[in-house]
Amino acid sequence: MTTHFWRGKRVLLTGHSGFKGAWMALWLHRLGAQVTGISLAPQTTPNLFSLASIQTITDSHFCDIRESTALATLIIKAQPEIVFHLAAQALVHASYRDPLTTFATNVQGTANVLDALRPLDSVRVVVAITTDKVYKNLEQPYPYRETDALGGHDPYSASKAAAEIVIASYRDSYLNNKGIAVASARAGNVIGGGDWSADRLIPDAILAWNTNQPLQIRRPQAIRPWQHVLEPVAGYIKLAEQLWQQPTVAGAYNFGPQTHEAATVREVVQLAQGAYGMGQVSWGDGTEGPHEAGWLALEIAKARTVLGVKPRWPLVESVQRTIHWYRQQHEGADARALCEADISAYETASESSGES
């Protein structure tokens, strides 16, 4: 990624109050972009948005993306050149509890964002974020490719697969004709400092271990494509640059670790225990709770060959950096400074590998 490209660019970032959105706002600000953020108010206490003072580096607005008129008014006022759409109901278990809100936010909300762009002449690029769970999961040791069939057992996965269809429809029916390059980004499971969402592995571990409680694990053998949050964020930023310069690369992209780096929940927890230095775990047998995919990995060859994007941090380093972030923040370190240090380290790793 290149600082000179982003300097002064008007960027709309939906979901800027969330975990991944806050990291993205920090990095875009660091690159010199003028960021307008639209999202709900932070949904957890504590939260990275507040701790890292994201409102001081963005033109920040709290608006539900299901409210199409209010949303369109904010987007038209922002006149963005590049749009990153991250706002979503992003939790599998929450989708089981409230499927209608999940579908309304992830499907209709995505349509509302894209529809608000139709009258604008300022927009050149849209990167819409979905998930690795958009694929019809065959429960086989097979890394999913961008051309594989979409599907979704749980409401969250189904809503994101439906959002992919909405994204493709708006691209082909409207936005291509306006010269707007549109891509969807499907990222694996992210870890990193500053996530306090419920039913997420590392946040659950930190909460349990900080209070001397055992971490409850439902499915220790479930396999996921774990990656540090900066991996997909770097991918989204690079994708937007490429779309600006070469609109023909529009389409769907997977962002995840190398296939062999996909790991079980048990392996990640054991790495986290080692980094934390202690921590009890109560292991389930895989039968508790509603259905969740047992085996999920991504093929990332397209991102590597088309965009030149490849993972920088292996799983061991990603877990160590994540646990270090939480331990330091718990002991009083400044959250934004911790994020900036990780971003600097990631940029250095990218430079040393020759990635631009």
Side-chain angles (χ1 to χ4, degrees):
M1 61 200 65
T2 51
T3 302
H4 64 81
F5 173 87
W6 290 98
R7 191 170 294 123
K9 286 284 193 304
R10 297 189 306 278
V11 176
L12 172 65
L13 174 61
T14 73
H16 72 304
S17 69
F19 162 56
K20 192 187 292 184
W23 277 93
M24 192 149 197
L26 286 167
W27 207 342
L28 288 168
H29 175 73
R30 181 187 180 94
L31 291 169
Q34 298 175 3
V35 181
T36 296
I38 297 176
S39 69
L40 295 177
Q43 301 293 290
T44 65
T45 302
N47 61 81
L48 186 57
F49 177 86
S50 300
L51 291 174
S53 301
I54 301 301
Q55 71 278 5
T56 67
I57 59 170
T58 60
D59 181 13
S60 182
H61 303 272
F62 293 148
C63 173
D64 194 322
I65 61 172
R66 294 175 295 174
E67 300 293 334
S68 59
T69 301
L71 175 68
T73 299
L74 290 173
I75 292 176
I76 290 169
K77 181 180 178 182
Q79 290 290 303
E81 297 169 284
I82 296 172
V83 176
F84 292 103
H85 173 45
L86 277 69
Q89 193 302 95
L91 300 173
V92 172
H93 276 232
S95 80
Y96 276 113
R97 292 191 296 269
D98 190 356
L100 293 183
T101 294
T102 300
F103 282 108
T105 301
N106 295 351
V107 185
Q108 187 61 54
T110 295
N112 289 342
V113 170
L114 296 174
D115 202 68
L117 305 179
R118 290 174 58 194
L120 298 185
D121 294 324
S122 61
V123 183
R124 290 271 302 273
V125 167
V126 177
V127 177
I129 312 308
T130 59
T131 176
D132 57 350
K133 297 170 183 63
V134 298
Y135 296 107
K136 183 178 181 180
N137 196 305
L138 304 176
E139 296 291 358
Q140 296 176 355
Y142 166 87
Y144 292 100
R145 295 165 172 79
E146 289 86 351
T147 53
D148 285 329
L150 301 176
H153 183 287
D154 58 88
Y156 169 71
S157 301
S159 72
K160 285 295 197 172
E164 285 278 356
I165 297 173
V166 169
I167 294 161
S169 175
Y170 267 86
R171 177 176 59 233
D172 297 340
S173 298
Y174 305 108
L175 302 181
N176 265 353
N177 296 334
K178 289 180 61 68
I180 301 173
V182 180
S184 63
R186 305 164 179 176
N189 290 49
V190 293
I191 60 176
D195 186 8
W196 283 279
S197 299
D199 297 321
R200 290 229 177 110
L201 184 59
I202 299 296
D204 284 354
I206 293 296
L207 178 61
W209 297 341
N210 280 354
T211 55
N212 295 314
Q213 299 295 314
L215 170 64
Q216 303 293 326
I217 296 296
R218 297 185 303 274
R219 291 177 171 81
Q221 296 309 117
I223 292 174
R224 295 288 185 273
W226 310 94
Q227 60 186 330
H228 193 276
V229 63
L230 290 179
E231 302 279 14
V233 168
Y236 304 159
I237 292 172
K238 185 63 179 294
L239 175 56
E241 290 182 15
Q242 290 291 100
L243 289 169
W244 184 283
Q245 296 158 0
Q246 191 179 355
T248 55
V249 304
Y253 288 85
N254 289 339
F255 295 100
Q258 302 288 355
T259 302
H260 71 272
E261 283 267 290
T264 66
V265 170
R266 183 183 294 274
E267 290 169 326
V268 175
V269 169
Q270 290 171 340
L271 288 173
Q273 281 179 301
Y276 192 88
M278 64 187 77
Q280 294 179 304
V281 182
S282 176
W283 301 102
D285 61 6
T287 61
E288 183 183 350
H291 173 274
E292 294 181 75
W295 205 102
L296 182 56
L298 296 175
E299 172 58 67
I300 58 171
K302 182 179 179 182
R304 184 177 65 251
T305 56
V306 177
L307 307 176
V309 170
K310 56 185 179 181
R312 294 269 67 83
W313 288 342
L315 179 60
V316 172
E317 182 171 1
S318 298
V319 174
Q320 289 174 342
R321 286 185 174 276
T322 299
I323 299 299
H324 174 78
W325 194 104
Y326 282 109
R327 293 298 295 266
Q328 292 294 106
Q329 190 275 330
H330 186 67
E331 293 169 7
D334 178 72
R336 188 192 288 191
L338 291 170
C339 292
E340 293 283 359
D342 275 346
I343 293 172
S344 293
Y346 190 92
E347 288 174 335
T348 300
S350 298
E351 291 166 3
S352 65
S353 70
E355 183 179 312
S356 60

